[in-house]
Amino acid sequence: GISLGVSITGTINYDVQHTLDDIFASPTAHQSANWFDHSSIAAKTASSDGNYAFPIRAVRLLVNSVTNGATVSFTILQGAR
C-alpha cells in the first residue's frame, strides 16, 4: 500500500491523481497519460491524507489554484514488502 499526505498553509485548491500509464515511455508520455482523481483527495482546500491499496504507476499533486504565500507539502510513503 501507499500512504499519501498533503499539508497546506494559506489558500490552495488541489487534487491528488494517479495513472496506470507508463509516464517514462517517452519524454512527453506524462502529458498524454490518463490521470484519475483520488477517490477522497480531490478538489481539496485543506490538509488531507489517504492511501492506495492497489498498484499504480505514478501519482501527482495537481494544484488548481493558489494564493500568494501559500505552501504545500506532499508526502508519499510505500510500505515495505
Side-chain angles (χ1 to χ4, degrees):
I2 300 169
S3 298
L4 309 167
V6 183
S7 298
I8 67 167
T9 64
T11 304
I12 300 176
N13 179 283
Y14 65 91
D15 302 319
V16 170
Q17 298 181 320
H18 66 276
T19 186
L20 304 175
D21 298 340
D22 181 359
I23 63 168
F24 298 110
S26 73
T28 58
H30 67 283
Q31 295 171 355
S32 60
N34 189 17
W35 292 97
F36 300 96
D37 288 340
H38 187 280
S39 61
S40 63
I41 314 176
K44 292 291 187 176
T45 57
S47 296
S48 188
D49 67 347
N51 65 71
Y52 286 108
F54 57 90
I56 59 173
R57 277 230 162 128
V59 62
R60 72 179 181 181
L61 178 74
L62 177 65
V63 176
N64 301 311
S65 63
V66 60
T67 58
N68 191 27
T71 64
V72 62
S73 175
F74 185 35
T75 303
I76 305 166
L77 298 173
Q78 183 177 6
R81 293 189 182 240

